[in-house]
Amino acid sequence: MADQGNKRCFGEYRCPTCHRTWMSGNSWPNMGQECTKCHINVLAHKQTPLERPDGLDKSDLSKHHPQDLCEKCKQLGRYCGRVRR
Ligand SMILES: [Zn+2]
Ligand SMILES: [Zn+2]
């Protein structure tokens, strides 16, 4: 697949309805994640490239990635990130 501009990045989300914020290390350009409260798709308001995939231990990479909320996962039908070994 030749979609090189479509890389996973670190995203910050803010729900416009309930103002809940969350962050994800599995954030994709033009792909939203669903607010757990409002069940609306929210696009990241800020996205940072994942330059160092293992430099993100401060974030939620070790946490469970909510696949049912992630538009990319839903599109792929599987986990959108790299499976940890
Ligand atoms: Zn919300
Ligand atoms: Zn995902």
Coordinates of all heavy atoms in Angstrom, one line a residue:
M1 N 0.9 -1.2 0.0 CA 0.0 0.0 0.0 C 0.9 1.2 0.0 O 1.9 1.3 0.7 CB -0.9 0.0 1.2 CG -1.7 -1.2 1.4 SD -3.5 -1.0 1.0 CE -4.1 0.2 2.1
A2 N 0.6 2.2 -0.8 CA 1.5 3.4 -1.0 C 0.9 4.6 -0.3 O 1.0 5.7 -0.8 CB 1.7 3.6 -2.5
D3 N 0.3 4.5 0.8 CA -0.2 5.7 1.5 C 0.8 6.1 2.6 O 0.6 5.9 3.7 CB -1.6 5.4 2.1 CG -1.6 4.2 2.9 OD1 -0.7 3.4 2.9 OD2 -2.6 4.0 3.6
Q4 N 1.9 6.6 2.1 CA 3.0 7.0 3.1 C 2.6 8.2 3.9 O 3.2 8.4 5.0 CB 4.3 7.3 2.3 CG 4.8 6.0 1.7 CD 6.1 6.3 0.8 OE1 6.2 7.4 0.3 NE2 6.9 5.3 0.7
G5 N 1.8 9.1 3.4 CA 1.4 10.2 4.1 C 0.4 9.9 5.2 O 0.0 10.8 6.0
N6 N 0.0 8.7 5.3 CA -1.0 8.3 6.2 C -0.4 7.5 7.4 O -0.5 6.3 7.5 CB -2.1 7.4 5.5 CG -3.3 7.3 6.3 OD1 -3.6 8.0 7.2 ND2 -4.2 6.4 5.8
K7 N 0.3 8.2 8.2 CA 1.1 7.5 9.3 C 0.4 7.7 10.6 O -0.2 8.7 10.9 CB 2.5 8.1 9.3 CG 3.4 7.7 8.2 CD 4.7 8.4 8.4 CE 5.8 7.4 8.4 NZ 7.1 8.1 8.5
R8 N 0.6 6.7 11.4 CA 0.2 6.7 12.8 C 0.9 7.8 13.5 O 2.1 8.0 13.4 CB 0.4 5.4 13.4 CG -0.1 5.2 14.8 CD -0.2 3.7 15.2 NE 1.2 3.2 15.3 CZ 1.8 2.9 16.4 NH1 1.2 3.1 17.6 NH2 3.0 2.4 16.4
C9 N 0.2 8.5 14.3 CA 0.8 9.6 15.1 C 0.2 9.7 16.5 O -0.7 8.9 16.8 CB 0.7 10.9 14.4 SG -0.9 11.3 13.8
F10 N 0.7 10.6 17.3 CA 0.1 10.8 18.6 C -0.9 11.9 18.5 O -0.6 13.0 18.0 CB 1.3 11.2 19.5 CG 0.9 11.4 20.9 CD1 0.6 10.2 21.7 CD2 0.8 12.6 21.5 CE1 0.2 10.4 23.0 CE2 0.4 12.7 22.8 CZ 0.1 11.6 23.6
G11 N -2.1 11.6 19.0 CA -3.2 12.6 18.8 C -3.8 13.0 20.2 O -3.8 12.2 21.1
E12 N -4.2 14.2 20.2 CA -5.0 14.7 21.3 C -6.4 15.1 20.9 O -6.6 15.8 19.9 CB -4.3 16.0 21.9 CG -2.9 15.7 22.5 CD -2.2 16.9 23.0 OE1 -2.9 17.9 23.4 OE2 -1.0 17.0 22.9
Y13 N -7.3 14.6 21.6 CA -8.7 14.7 21.3 C -9.5 15.5 22.3 O -9.2 15.4 23.5 CB -9.4 13.3 21.2 CG -8.7 12.5 20.1 CD1 -7.6 11.7 20.4 CD2 -9.3 12.4 18.8 CE1 -7.0 11.0 19.4 CE2 -8.7 11.6 17.9 CZ -7.5 10.9 18.2 OH -7.0 10.1 17.2
R14 N -10.5 16.2 21.9 CA -11.4 16.9 22.8 C -12.8 16.8 22.2 O -13.0 17.3 21.1 CB -11.0 18.4 23.0 CG -11.8 19.1 24.0 CD -11.3 20.5 24.3 NE -11.0 21.2 23.1 CZ -9.9 21.9 22.9 NH1 -8.9 21.9 23.8 NH2 -9.7 22.5 21.8
C15 N -13.6 16.3 23.0 CA -15.0 16.1 22.5 C -15.7 17.5 22.6 O -15.7 18.2 23.6 CB -15.8 15.1 23.4 SG -17.5 15.0 23.0
P16 N -16.3 17.9 21.5 CA -16.9 19.2 21.4 C -18.2 19.3 22.2 O -18.7 20.4 22.6 CB -17.2 19.4 19.9 CG -17.3 18.1 19.3 CD -16.4 17.2 20.2
T17 N -18.7 18.1 22.6 CA -20.0 18.1 23.3 C -19.8 18.1 24.8 O -20.3 18.9 25.5 CB -20.8 16.9 22.9 OG1 -21.0 16.9 21.4 CG2 -22.2 16.8 23.5
C18 N -19.0 17.1 25.3 CA -18.8 17.0 26.8 C -17.5 17.6 27.2 O -17.2 17.6 28.4 CB -19.0 15.6 27.2 SG -17.7 14.5 26.7
H19 N -16.6 18.0 26.3 CA -15.3 18.6 26.6 C -14.4 17.6 27.2 O -13.4 18.0 27.9 CB -15.5 19.9 27.4 CG -16.4 20.9 26.7 ND1 -16.0 21.5 25.6 CD2 -17.6 21.3 27.1 CE1 -17.0 22.3 25.2 NE2 -18.0 22.2 26.1
R20 N -14.7 16.3 27.2 CA -13.8 15.3 27.7 C -12.5 15.4 26.8 O -12.6 15.5 25.5 CB -14.4 14.0 27.6 CG -13.8 12.9 28.4 CD -14.6 11.6 28.3 NE -14.5 11.0 27.0 CZ -13.5 10.1 26.7 NH1 -12.6 9.8 27.7 NH2 -13.4 9.6 25.5
T21 N -11.4 15.2 27.3 CA -10.1 15.1 26.5 C -9.5 13.8 26.7 O -9.6 13.2 27.8 CB -9.1 16.2 26.9 OG1 -8.8 16.1 28.3 CG2 -9.7 17.6 26.7
W22 N -8.8 13.3 25.7 CA -8.0 12.1 25.8 C -6.9 12.1 24.8 O -6.9 13.0 23.9 CB -8.9 10.9 25.7 CG -9.5 10.6 24.3 CD1 -9.0 9.8 23.3 CD2 -10.7 11.1 23.8 NE1 -9.8 9.8 22.3 CE2 -10.9 10.6 22.5 CE3 -11.7 12.0 24.3 CZ2 -12.0 10.9 21.7 CZ3 -12.8 12.3 23.5 CH2 -12.9 11.8 22.2
M23 N -6.0 11.3 25.0 CA -4.8 11.2 24.1 C -4.7 9.7 23.6 O -5.1 8.8 24.3 CB -3.6 11.6 24.8 CG -3.6 13.1 25.1 SD -2.1 13.6 25.9 CE -2.2 12.9 27.5
S24 N -4.1 9.6 22.4 CA -3.9 8.3 21.9 C -2.6 8.2 21.1 O -2.3 9.1 20.4 CB -5.1 7.9 21.0 OG -4.8 6.7 20.4
G25 N -1.9 7.1 21.3 CA -0.7 6.9 20.6 C -1.0 6.2 19.3 O -0.1 5.9 18.4
N26 N -2.3 5.8 19.1 CA -2.7 5.3 17.8 C -3.7 6.2 17.2 O -4.9 6.0 17.1 CB -3.4 3.9 18.0 CG -2.4 2.8 18.4 OD1 -1.3 2.8 17.9 ND2 -2.8 1.9 19.3
S27 N -3.2 7.3 16.7 CA -4.0 8.4 16.1 C -3.6 8.4 14.6 O -2.4 8.3 14.3 CB -3.7 9.7 16.8 OG -4.4 10.7 16.2
W28 N -4.6 8.6 13.8 CA -4.4 8.6 12.3 C -4.9 9.9 11.7 O -6.0 10.3 12.1 CB -5.1 7.4 11.7 CG -4.5 6.1 12.2 CD1 -5.0 5.4 13.4 CD2 -3.5 5.3 11.7 NE1 -4.2 4.3 13.5 CE2 -3.3 4.2 12.5 CE3 -2.6 5.4 10.6 CZ2 -2.4 3.2 12.3 CZ3 -1.7 4.5 10.3 CH2 -1.6 3.4 11.2
P29 N -4.2 10.4 10.7 CA -4.7 11.6 10.0 C -6.1 11.3 9.4 O -6.3 10.3 8.8 CB -3.6 11.8 8.9 CG -2.4 11.1 9.3 CD -2.9 9.9 10.1
N30 N -6.9 12.3 9.6 CA -8.3 12.2 9.1 C -9.1 11.1 9.6 O -10.1 10.7 9.0 CB -8.3 12.2 7.6 CG -7.5 13.4 7.0 OD1 -7.7 14.5 7.4 ND2 -6.6 13.1 6.1
M31 N -8.7 10.5 10.7 CA -9.4 9.4 11.4 C -9.8 9.9 12.8 O -8.9 10.3 13.5 CB -8.6 8.2 11.5 CG -8.3 7.5 10.1 SD -9.8 6.5 9.7 CE -9.3 6.0 8.1
G32 N -11.0 9.7 13.2 CA -11.4 10.1 14.5 C -11.4 9.0 15.5 O -11.2 7.8 15.1
Q33 N -11.7 9.4 16.7 CA -12.0 8.4 17.7 C -13.3 8.8 18.4 O -13.6 10.0 18.5 CB -10.9 8.3 18.7 CG -9.6 7.6 18.1 CD -8.6 7.3 19.2 OE1 -8.8 7.4 20.4 NE2 -7.4 6.9 18.7
E34 N -14.0 7.8 18.9 CA -15.3 8.1 19.4 C -15.2 8.5 20.8 O -14.5 7.9 21.6 CB -16.2 6.8 19.2 CG -17.6 7.1 19.2 CD -18.3 5.7 18.9 OE1 -18.2 5.2 17.7 OE2 -19.0 5.2 19.8
C35 N -16.0 9.5 21.2 CA -16.1 9.8 22.6 C -16.9 8.7 23.4 O -18.0 8.3 22.9 CB -16.8 11.2 22.8 SG -17.1 11.6 24.5
T36 N -16.4 8.3 24.5 CA -17.0 7.2 25.2 C -18.4 7.6 25.8 O -19.2 6.8 26.1 CB -16.1 6.7 26.3 OG1 -15.7 7.8 27.1 CG2 -14.9 6.0 25.8
K37 N -18.5 8.9 26.0 CA -19.8 9.3 26.6 C -20.8 9.6 25.5 O -22.0 9.3 25.6 CB -19.5 10.6 27.4 CG -19.1 10.4 28.8 CD -19.2 11.8 29.5 CE -18.7 11.7 30.9 NZ -18.6 13.0 31.5
C38 N -20.4 10.4 24.5 CA -21.4 10.9 23.5 C -21.5 10.0 22.3 O -22.4 10.2 21.5 CB -20.9 12.3 23.1 SG -20.5 13.4 24.5
H39 N -20.6 9.1 22.1 CA -20.6 8.3 20.9 C -20.6 9.0 19.6 O -21.4 8.7 18.7 CB -21.8 7.3 21.0 CG -21.7 6.5 22.3 ND1 -20.8 5.5 22.5 CD2 -22.4 6.5 23.4 CE1 -20.9 5.0 23.7 NE2 -21.9 5.6 24.3
I40 N -19.9 10.1 19.6 CA -19.7 10.8 18.4 C -18.2 10.7 18.0 O -17.3 10.6 18.8 CB -20.1 12.3 18.5 CG1 -19.3 13.0 19.6 CG2 -21.6 12.4 18.6 CD1 -19.5 14.5 19.6
N41 N -18.0 10.7 16.7 CA -16.6 10.6 16.2 C -15.9 12.0 16.3 O -16.4 13.0 15.9 CB -16.7 10.2 14.7 CG -15.3 9.7 14.3 OD1 -14.7 9.0 15.0 ND2 -14.9 10.1 13.1
V42 N -14.8 12.0 17.0 CA -14.0 13.2 17.3 C -12.7 13.2 16.6 O -12.0 12.2 16.7 CB -13.8 13.4 18.8 CG1 -13.1 14.7 19.0 CG2 -15.2 13.4 19.5
L43 N -12.4 14.2 15.8 CA -11.1 14.2 15.2 C -10.1 14.9 16.1 O -10.4 15.7 16.9 CB -11.1 15.1 13.9 CG -11.9 14.4 12.7 CD1 -12.1 15.4 11.6 CD2 -11.1 13.2 12.2
A44 N -8.8 14.5 16.0 CA -7.8 15.0 16.9 C -7.6 16.5 16.6 O -7.6 16.9 15.4 CB -6.5 14.3 16.7
H45 N -7.5 17.3 17.6 CA -7.2 18.7 17.4 C -5.8 19.0 17.3 O -5.3 20.0 16.9 CB -7.9 19.6 18.5 CG -7.3 19.4 19.9 ND1 -6.2 20.1 20.3 CD2 -7.7 18.6 20.9 CE1 -6.0 19.7 21.6 NE2 -6.9 18.8 22.0
K46 N -5.0 18.0 17.8 CA -3.5 18.1 17.6 C -2.9 16.8 17.4 O -3.3 15.8 18.0 CB -3.0 18.7 18.9 CG -1.5 19.0 18.9 CD -1.0 19.6 20.2 CE 0.5 19.7 20.2 NZ 1.0 20.0 21.5
Q47 N -2.1 16.7 16.4 CA -1.4 15.4 16.1 C 0.1 15.7 16.0 O 0.6 16.6 15.4 CB -2.0 14.8 14.8 CG -3.4 14.2 15.0 CD -3.9 13.5 13.8 OE1 -3.8 14.0 12.7 NE2 -4.4 12.3 14.1
T48 N 0.8 14.8 16.6 CA 2.3 14.9 16.6 C 2.8 13.6 16.0 O 2.4 12.5 16.4 CB 2.8 15.0 18.1 OG1 2.0 15.9 18.8 CG2 4.2 15.5 18.1
P49 N 3.8 13.7 15.1 CA 4.4 12.5 14.5 C 5.0 11.6 15.6 O 5.6 12.1 16.5 CB 5.4 13.0 13.6 CG 5.1 14.4 13.3 CD 4.4 14.9 14.6
L50 N 4.8 10.3 15.4 CA 5.5 9.4 16.3 C 6.9 9.1 15.8 O 7.1 8.2 15.1 CB 4.7 8.0 16.3 CG 3.4 7.9 17.1 CD1 2.9 6.5 16.9 CD2 3.6 8.2 18.5
E51 N 7.8 10.0 16.2 CA 9.1 9.9 15.6 C 9.9 8.7 16.3 O 10.6 8.0 15.6 CB 9.9 11.2 15.8 CG 9.6 12.2 14.7 CD 9.8 13.6 15.1 OE1 10.5 13.8 16.2 OE2 9.4 14.5 14.4
R52 N 9.7 8.6 17.5 CA 10.3 7.5 18.2 C 9.2 6.6 18.8 O 8.6 7.0 19.8 CB 11.3 8.0 19.3 CG 12.6 8.3 18.7 CD 13.6 8.7 19.8 NE 13.4 10.1 20.2 CZ 13.8 10.6 21.3 NH1 14.4 9.8 22.2 NH2 13.7 11.8 21.6
P53 N 8.9 5.5 18.2 CA 7.8 4.7 18.7 C 7.9 4.3 20.1 O 6.9 4.1 20.8 CB 7.8 3.5 17.7 CG 8.6 3.9 16.6 CD 9.6 4.9 17.1
D54 N 9.1 4.1 20.6 CA 9.2 3.7 22.0 C 9.5 4.9 22.9 O 9.8 4.7 24.1 CB 10.3 2.6 22.2 CG 11.6 3.0 21.6 OD1 11.7 4.2 21.1 OD2 12.5 2.2 21.5
G55 N 9.4 6.1 22.4 CA 9.6 7.3 23.2 C 8.3 7.8 23.8 O 8.2 8.9 24.4
L56 N 7.3 7.0 23.8 CA 6.0 7.4 24.2 C 5.5 6.7 25.4 O 4.3 6.6 25.7 CB 5.0 7.1 23.1 CG 4.8 8.3 22.1 CD1 4.2 7.7 20.8 CD2 3.9 9.4 22.7
D57 N 6.4 6.2 26.2 CA 6.0 5.4 27.4 C 5.3 6.3 28.4 O 4.6 5.8 29.3 CB 7.2 4.7 28.0 CG 8.4 5.5 28.2 OD1 8.3 6.8 27.8 OD2 9.4 5.1 28.6
K58 N 5.4 7.6 28.2 CA 4.6 8.5 29.1 C 3.2 8.5 28.8 O 2.3 8.9 29.5 CB 5.2 9.9 29.0 CG 5.0 10.5 27.7 CD 5.6 11.9 27.6 CE 5.3 12.7 26.3 NZ 5.8 12.0 25.1
S59 N 2.9 8.1 27.6 CA 1.5 8.2 27.1 C 0.8 6.8 27.3 O 1.1 6.0 28.1 CB 1.5 8.6 25.7 OG 1.8 7.5 24.8
D60 N -0.1 6.6 26.5 CA -1.0 5.4 26.7 C -0.8 4.2 25.8 O -1.7 3.4 25.6 CB -2.5 5.9 26.6 CG -2.8 6.3 25.2 OD1 -1.9 6.4 24.3 OD2 -4.0 6.5 24.9
L61 N 0.4 4.1 25.3 CA 0.7 3.0 24.4 C 0.6 1.7 25.2 O 0.3 0.6 24.6 CB 2.1 3.1 23.8 CG 2.2 4.0 22.6 CD1 3.6 3.9 22.0 CD2 1.2 3.7 21.6
S62 N 0.9 1.7 26.5 CA 0.8 0.5 27.3 C -0.6 0.2 27.7 O -0.9 -0.9 28.1 CB 1.7 0.6 28.5 OG 1.3 1.7 29.2
K63 N -1.5 1.2 27.6 CA -2.8 1.0 28.0 C -3.6 0.3 26.8 O -3.2 0.3 25.7 CB -3.5 2.4 28.2 CG -3.2 3.0 29.6 CD -4.3 4.0 29.9 CE -3.8 5.4 29.7 NZ -4.8 6.4 29.9
H64 N -4.7 -0.2 27.2 CA -5.6 -0.8 26.2 C -6.1 0.2 25.2 O -6.6 1.3 25.6 CB -6.8 -1.5 27.0 CG -7.7 -2.1 26.0 ND1 -7.5 -3.2 25.3 CD2 -9.0 -1.7 25.7 CE1 -8.5 -3.5 24.6 NE2 -9.5 -2.6 24.8
H65 N -5.9 -0.1 24.0 CA -6.4 0.8 22.9 C -7.9 0.4 22.6 O -8.2 -0.7 22.3 CB -5.5 0.6 21.7 CG -6.0 1.4 20.5 ND1 -6.1 2.7 20.5 CD2 -6.4 1.0 19.2 CE1 -6.5 3.1 19.3 NE2 -6.7 2.1 18.5
P66 N -8.7 1.4 22.8 CA -10.2 1.1 22.6 C -10.5 1.0 21.1 O -10.9 1.9 20.4 CB -10.8 2.4 23.2 CG -9.8 3.5 23.0 CD -8.5 2.8 23.1
Q67 N -10.4 -0.2 20.6 CA -10.6 -0.5 19.2 C -12.0 -0.1 18.7 O -12.2 0.3 17.6 CB -10.4 -1.9 18.9 CG -8.9 -2.3 19.1 CD -8.7 -3.7 18.5 OE1 -9.1 -4.1 17.5 NE2 -7.9 -4.5 19.3
D68 N -13.0 -0.3 19.6 CA -14.4 0.0 19.2 C -14.6 1.5 19.1 O -15.7 1.9 18.6 CB -15.3 -0.7 20.2 CG -15.1 -0.3 21.6 OD1 -13.9 0.0 22.0 OD2 -16.0 -0.3 22.4
L69 N -13.7 2.3 19.6 CA -13.8 3.7 19.5 C -13.0 4.3 18.4 O -13.1 5.5 18.0 CB -13.4 4.4 20.8 CG -14.2 3.9 22.1 CD1 -13.6 4.6 23.3 CD2 -15.6 4.3 22.0
C70 N -12.1 3.5 17.9 CA -11.1 4.0 16.9 C -11.6 3.8 15.5 O -11.9 2.7 15.1 CB -9.8 3.4 17.2 SG -8.5 3.7 15.9
E71 N -11.7 4.9 14.8 CA -12.2 4.8 13.4 C -11.3 3.9 12.5 O -11.7 3.2 11.7 CB -12.3 6.2 12.8 CG -13.1 6.2 11.5 CD -13.2 7.6 10.9 OE1 -12.7 8.6 11.5 OE2 -13.8 7.7 9.9
K72 N -10.0 4.1 12.8 CA -9.0 3.3 12.0 C -9.2 1.8 12.2 O -9.2 1.0 11.3 CB -7.6 3.7 12.3 CG -6.5 3.1 11.5 CD -6.5 3.7 10.1 CE -5.3 3.2 9.3 NZ -5.2 3.8 8.0
C73 N -9.3 1.4 13.5 CA -9.5 0.0 13.8 C -10.8 -0.5 13.2 O -10.9 -1.6 12.7 CB -9.6 -0.2 15.4 SG -8.1 0.0 16.2
K74 N -11.8 0.3 13.2 CA -13.1 -0.1 12.7 C -13.0 -0.3 11.2 O -13.5 -1.2 10.6 CB -14.2 0.9 13.0 CG -14.6 0.8 14.5 CD -15.9 1.5 14.7 CE -15.7 2.9 15.3 NZ -16.9 3.5 15.8
Q75 N -12.2 0.6 10.6 CA -12.0 0.5 9.1 C -11.2 -0.8 8.8 O -11.5 -1.5 7.8 CB -11.3 1.7 8.6 CG -11.3 1.8 7.1 CD -10.3 2.9 6.6 OE1 -9.1 2.8 6.9 NE2 -10.8 3.9 6.0
L76 N -10.2 -1.0 9.6 CA -9.3 -2.2 9.3 C -10.0 -3.5 9.7 O -9.7 -4.6 9.2 CB -8.0 -2.0 10.0 CG -7.0 -0.9 9.6 CD1 -5.9 -0.8 10.6 CD2 -6.5 -1.2 8.2
G77 N -10.8 -3.4 10.8 CA -11.4 -4.6 11.3 C -10.4 -5.3 12.2 O -10.6 -6.5 12.6
R78 N -9.4 -4.6 12.7 CA -8.4 -5.2 13.6 C -7.7 -4.1 14.3 O -7.9 -2.9 14.0 CB -7.4 -6.1 12.8 CG -6.6 -5.3 11.8 CD -5.4 -6.1 11.2 NE -4.7 -5.4 10.2 CZ -3.8 -4.4 10.4 NH1 -3.5 -4.1 11.6 NH2 -3.2 -3.8 9.4
Y79 N -6.8 -4.4 15.2 CA -6.0 -3.4 15.9 C -5.2 -2.6 14.9 O -4.5 -3.2 14.1 CB -5.1 -4.2 16.9 CG -4.2 -3.3 17.7 CD1 -4.7 -2.2 18.4 CD2 -2.8 -3.5 17.7 CE1 -3.8 -1.4 19.1 CE2 -1.9 -2.7 18.4 CZ -2.5 -1.6 19.1 OH -1.6 -0.8 19.8
C80 N -5.2 -1.3 15.0 CA -4.6 -0.4 14.0 C -3.1 -0.2 14.3 O -2.4 0.2 13.4 CB -5.3 1.0 14.0 SG -5.1 2.0 15.5
G81 N -2.7 -0.5 15.5 CA -1.3 -0.2 15.8 C -0.4 -1.4 15.6 O -0.9 -2.5 15.1
R82 N 0.8 -1.3 16.1 CA 1.7 -2.4 16.0 C 1.4 -3.4 17.2 O 1.3 -2.9 18.3 CB 3.1 -1.9 16.0 CG 4.1 -2.9 15.4 CD 5.5 -2.3 15.4 NE 5.6 -1.2 14.4 CZ 6.6 -0.3 14.4 NH1 7.6 -0.4 15.3 NH2 6.7 0.6 13.5
V83 N 1.3 -4.6 16.9 CA 1.1 -5.6 18.0 C 2.3 -5.8 18.8 O 3.4 -6.0 18.2 CB 0.6 -6.9 17.4 CG1 0.3 -7.9 18.5 CG2 -0.7 -6.7 16.6
R84 N 2.2 -5.6 20.1 CA 3.4 -5.7 20.9 C 3.9 -7.2 21.0 O 3.1 -8.1 21.1 CB 3.1 -5.2 22.3 CG 2.9 -3.7 22.4 CD 2.2 -3.4 23.7 NE 3.1 -3.7 24.8 CZ 3.7 -2.8 25.6 NH1 3.4 -1.6 25.4 NH2 4.5 -3.2 26.6
R85 N 5.2 -7.3 21.0 CA 5.7 -8.6 21.1 C 6.0 -9.0 22.5 O 6.2 -8.1 23.3 CB 7.0 -8.7 20.3 CG 6.7 -8.9 18.8 CD 8.0 -9.0 18.1 NE 8.7 -7.7 17.9 CZ 9.9 -7.6 17.3 NH1 10.5 -8.6 16.8 NH2 10.4 -6.4 17.2
Ligands
ZN1 ZN -18.3 13.6 24.6
ZN2 ZN -7.1 2.0 16.5

